[in-house]
């Protein structure tokens, strides 16, 4: 058996908070959410004529509107000097913010380790969407004949990985993974494989996304999957997904390396399973999800009775919720507690798997399952042990969580399940 | 000429930490602390300001117009503005 791979640092930014502490408070604080105000963490946005970026409220009801899970009150210049921003698309900004937090959390000093034994693997579904749309607007709307010379280095999906490696002098393998909503999960998996075969000692892994843009929202709207009301996974009243933005980053290490440098081990990445439906670009297959979860259990050397909490993909589309419920029921006879934290942070596409991995680890630390903010109207067709809010209050399920599984199932049938476990006492 | 010189100096000054120096005295942009990435931006800004298209380096060389110093850039812009 290969060496255990451990988590030593975490950082995130999303609609559910601009750092780990805020994210933890949002998911696990005993905050009250009024049943009539469930969409309050998401914003109504519209795109005015000639603008590819969204306008905040006051929202003009004459314009076409969308619901989005934006990072609240985000101001790039609070985080970066103006000079640096010329080379940073919004998705790379989020990647750096979450990476900074995770690296600080892990207390690793990259100047004190072999930089060629360190890696960055950071996923994104789309990459520099805002930069792409801004340059297209210049060319096709304004009739300009040139775009800014940094357009290419800003929009590359690998820009986030490059920026993190440059900032910290990480000189081993650095690249981006892209598999739609599973991108960050595949990033974590690829880094874990490199760690397990002793190619590297440390990896900065995760995902980032920033595509609350006119072109992207009109494109998603064309698929008829965007909810105008909110994100209600596995609920009778679900009406589609809410796209979010943000990033999540974790620091992974070989256990002996982490112990050798005196790092605090937060959790163990004990298993991963990856499958492809090989079926349809948007319609998921329960079998693909089922085999991904089974593969993760096998990889972790755990049985179907070992999992205490499942952070579902739970995108709140009818297709996903039904097939994922079916897959969970067929794999887990003991019906472990399930929730979808997308109801807090939205569907952060290529960053989702990293943010939800962090939610799993926090659930183990808090010994509490975060709820789905989906009311008490569970869809009987989704017959799983859903942890929900009741009567306008978030009921947090307190339980001893030793092993938590996180699912990400992407368009095109690209599935990944990750299992995180508590470190032995 | 002086006007072009002054306008380009103003653009270049934004990319260097020592805006007080006489750019025409510098041997190269590197001496001014301007790297190749910043030079690309400077060329973009100049193109925008003068509404010209500065040709690729190989093309400039064929025309006998090097582009390694501030004075080179002023000469190229002067040439292109006159041609307009």
């Amino acid at each position: 058996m290969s060496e255990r791979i451990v988590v030593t640092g975490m950082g995130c930014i999303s609609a559910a908070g601009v750092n780990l502490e805020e994210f933890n408070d949002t998911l696990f604080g005993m905050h009250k959410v009024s049943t009539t105000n469930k969409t309050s963490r998401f914003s109504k946005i519209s795109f005015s004529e000639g603008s590819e970026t969204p306008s905040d409220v006051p929202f003009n009801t004459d314009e076409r509107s969308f619901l989005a899970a934006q990072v609240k009150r985000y101001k790039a210049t609070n985080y970066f000097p103006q000079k640096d921003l010329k080379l940073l698309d919004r998705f790379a900004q989020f990647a750096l913010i979450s990476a900074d937090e995770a690296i600080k959390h892990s207390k690793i000093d990259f100047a004190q380790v072999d930089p060629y034994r360190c890696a960055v693997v950071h996923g994104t579904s789309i990459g520099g969407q805002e930069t792409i749309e801004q340059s297209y607007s210049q060319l096709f709307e304004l009739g300009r004949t040139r775009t800014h010379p940094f357009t290419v280095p800003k929009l590359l999906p690998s820009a986030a990985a490059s920026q993190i490696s440059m900032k910290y002098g990480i000189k081993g393998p650095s690249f981006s993974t892209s598999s739609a909503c599973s991108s960050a999960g595949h990033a974590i998996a690829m880094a874990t494989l490199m760690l397990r075969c002793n190619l590297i000692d440390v990896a900065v892994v995760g995902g980032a996304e920033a595509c609350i843009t006119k072109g992207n929202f009109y494109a998603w709207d064309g698929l008829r999957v965007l909810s105008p009301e909110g994100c209600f996974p596995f609920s009778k009243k679900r009406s589609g997904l809410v796209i979010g933005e943000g990033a999540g980053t974790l620091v992974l290490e070989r256990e002996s390396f982490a112990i050798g440098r005196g790092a605090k081990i937060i959790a163990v990445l004990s298993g991963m399973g990856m499958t492809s439906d090989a079926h349809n670009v948007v319609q998921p297959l329960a079998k693909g999800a089922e085999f991904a979860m089974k593969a993760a259990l096998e990889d972790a050397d755990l049985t179907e009775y070992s999992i205490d909490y499942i952070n579902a993909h739970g995108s709140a589309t009818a297709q996903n919720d039904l097939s994922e419920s079916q897959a969970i029921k067929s794999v887990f006879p003991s019906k472990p507690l399930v929730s979808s934290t997308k109801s807090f942070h939205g569907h952060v596409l290529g960053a989702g798997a990293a943010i939800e991995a962090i939610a799993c680890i926090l659930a183990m630390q808090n010994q509490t399952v975060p709820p789905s903010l989906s009311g008490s109207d569970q869809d009987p067709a989704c017959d799983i042990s859903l942890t929900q809010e009741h009567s306008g209050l978030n009921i947090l399920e307190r339980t001893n969580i030793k092993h938590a599984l996180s699912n990400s199932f992407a368009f095109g049938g690209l599935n990944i399940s990750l299992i995180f476990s508590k470190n032995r006492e | 000429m002086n006007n072009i010189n002054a306008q380009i100096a103003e653009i270049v000054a934004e990319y260097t930490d020592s805006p007080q120096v006489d750019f025409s005295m510098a041997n190269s942009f590197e001496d001014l602390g301007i790297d190749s990435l910043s030079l690309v931006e400077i060329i973009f800004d100049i193109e925008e300001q003068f509404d010209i298209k500065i040709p690729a380096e190989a093309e400039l060389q064929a025309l006998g117009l090097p582009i390694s110093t501030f004075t080179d850039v002023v000469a190229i812009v002067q040439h292109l503005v006159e041609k307009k």
Side-chain angles (χ1 to χ4, degrees):
Chain A
M1 171 127 186
S2 60
E3 184 175 5
R4 296 201 317 168
I5 307 308
V6 298
V7 181
T8 58
M10 304 189 287
C12 58
I13 178 167
S14 71
V18 297
N19 54 40
L20 193 62
E21 189 184 349
E22 280 191 22
F23 185 63
N24 188 59
D25 287 350
T26 304
L27 262 60
F28 301 95
M30 287 301 287
H31 46 274
K32 291 181 181 179
V33 177
S34 155
T35 47
T36 55
N37 192 26
K38 285 200 196 66
T39 62
S40 61
R41 68 189 67 256
F42 303 142
S43 352
K44 277 269 189 197
I45 56 163
S46 64
F47 298 92
S48 56
E49 194 66 36
S51 169
E52 59 281 347
T53 50
S55 323
D56 293 331
V57 283
F59 150 70
N60 180 350
T61 49
D62 293 336
E63 288 189 71
R64 198 167 169 192
S65 70
F66 301 96
L67 201 61
Q70 292 176 297
V71 175
K72 307 284 184 308
R73 299 175 296 280
Y74 178 69
K75 203 171 167 203
T77 48
N78 289 346
Y79 293 91
F80 304 97
Q82 196 65 49
K83 185 172 166 288
D84 293 1
L85 285 171
K86 288 198 287 189
L87 275 161
L88 295 174
D89 183 270
R90 192 172 168 97
F91 95 102
Q93 295 167 29
F94 290 150
L96 276 169
I97 291 166
S98 67
D100 286 348
E101 186 180 27
I103 289 165
K104 198 173 167 195
H105 190 199
S106 80
K107 295 192 169 69
I108 188 162
D109 180 356
F110 286 104
Q112 301 300 318
V113 298
D114 180 352
Y116 292 96
R117 301 261 316 159
C118 301
V120 182
V121 191
H122 226 265
T124 185
S125 177
I126 301 182
Q129 181 72 13
E130 195 172 275
T131 301
I132 292 171
E133 292 191 27
Q134 281 167 353
S135 69
Y136 281 7
S137 169
Q138 295 275 315
L139 293 174
F140 305 135
E141 285 188 316
L142 304 174
R144 304 281 292 272
T145 55
R146 55 177 76 91
T147 63
H148 191 275
F150 295 169
T151 303
V152 172
K154 272 176 83 176
L155 66 80
L156 292 173
S158 54
S162 302
Q163 292 291 344
I164 296 167
S165 78
M166 288 188 287
K167 179 160 184 182
Y168 290 98
I170 294 170
K171 296 181 177 175
S174 289
F175 55 93
S176 163
T177 53
S178 190
S179 48
C181 311
S182 295
S183 302
H186 283 113
I188 292 169
M190 292 304 102
T192 301
L193 290 173
M194 290 194 286
L195 288 159
R196 282 181 181 176
C197 68
N198 200 11
L199 195 67
I200 53 170
D201 297 322
V202 185
V204 178
V205 301
E209 206 73 65
C211 57
I212 301 180
T213 59
K214 184 173 188 174
N216 187 58
F217 265 63
Y218 277 55
W220 275 92
D221 193 43
L223 281 169
R224 312 182 75 81
V225 292
L226 295 185
S227 169
E229 291 153 349
C231 179
F232 310 118
F234 305 108
S235 166
K236 273 194 290 194
K237 63 178 179 180
R238 73 170 157 260
S239 52
L241 55 88
V242 176
I243 289 184
E245 62 177 358
T249 300
L250 300 96
V251 176
L252 302 181
E253 303 182 45
R254 294 190 300 106
E255 184 178 33
S256 60
F257 187 82
I259 291 171
R261 72 174 186 89
K264 183 171 188 283
I265 293 170
I266 298 168
V268 180
L269 199 171
S270 48
M272 57 190 183
M274 296 176 268
T275 62
S276 310
D277 291 349
H279 171 61
N280 187 282
V281 287
V282 291
Q283 179 71 46
L285 272 190
K287 275 285 173 217
E290 187 183 318
F291 282 116
M293 288 186 275
K294 281 181 174 168
L297 285 172
E298 194 177 328
D299 186 46
D301 203 18
L302 293 171
T303 74
E304 60 271 36
Y305 296 97
S306 315
I307 300 298
D308 305 300
Y309 165 56
I310 296 175
N311 186 300
H313 182 61
S315 61
T317 61
Q319 294 90 337
N320 172 84
D321 288 3
L322 295 172
S323 71
E324 187 172 14
S325 299
Q326 193 186 329
I328 288 171
K329 280 193 295 179
S330 75
V331 177
F332 299 100
S334 56
K335 296 187 80 179
L337 293 168
V338 180
S339 70
S340 167
T341 49
K342 283 187 174 69
S343 51
F344 290 94
H345 48 69
H347 199 339
V348 200
L349 307 178
I355 292 171
E356 290 157 28
I358 292 169
C360 283
I361 294 168
L362 291 175
M364 288 191 291
Q365 288 181 342
N366 290 305
Q367 292 299 290
T368 302
V369 170
S372 285
L373 298 181
S374 45
S376 50
D377 302 323
Q378 183 169 350
D379 182 350
C382 299
D383 182 21
I384 49 176
S385 299
L386 191 63
T387 304
Q388 293 175 287
E389 55 168 350
H390 293 288
S391 312
L393 285 174
N394 295 338
I395 302 301
L396 302 169
E397 293 277 358
R398 298 206 171 273
T399 181
N400 183 24
I401 306 168
K402 282 186 186 156
H403 306 285
L405 179 142
S406 177
N407 283 334
S408 298
F409 304 138
F411 272 173
L414 313 179
N415 311 307
I416 182 156
S417 298
L418 299 169
I419 299 175
F420 294 90
S421 303
K422 277 183 91 169
N423 191 29
R424 48 183 164 239
E425 301 298 325
Chain B
M1 178 69 185
N2 282 341
N3 185 34
I4 288 175
N5 193 90
Q7 286 184 62
I8 296 175
E10 202 173 312
I11 291 169
V12 172
E14 286 179 32
Y15 294 90
T16 168
D17 294 331
S18 47
Q20 303 305 321
V21 300
D22 181 357
F23 298 134
S24 61
M25 299 301 284
N27 288 324
S28 68
F29 282 107
E30 274 178 27
D31 287 354
L32 294 168
I34 290 167
D35 61 13
S36 60
L37 202 59
S38 296
L39 186 57
V40 169
E41 272 196 287
I42 288 170
I43 291 171
F44 174 76
D45 290 351
I46 290 171
E47 287 182 328
E48 289 280 283
Q49 179 138 342
F50 294 96
D51 193 21
I52 54 172
K53 173 87 182 95
I54 296 178
E57 205 166 332
E59 207 176 320
L60 287 170
Q61 274 179 356
L63 292 168
L65 294 168
I67 186 165
S68 51
T69 67
F70 177 82
T71 315
D72 291 343
V73 172
V74 174
I76 290 165
V77 173
Q78 179 73 23
H79 172 75
L80 293 169
V81 168
E82 280 171 7
K83 257 179 53 180
K84 264 177 49 174

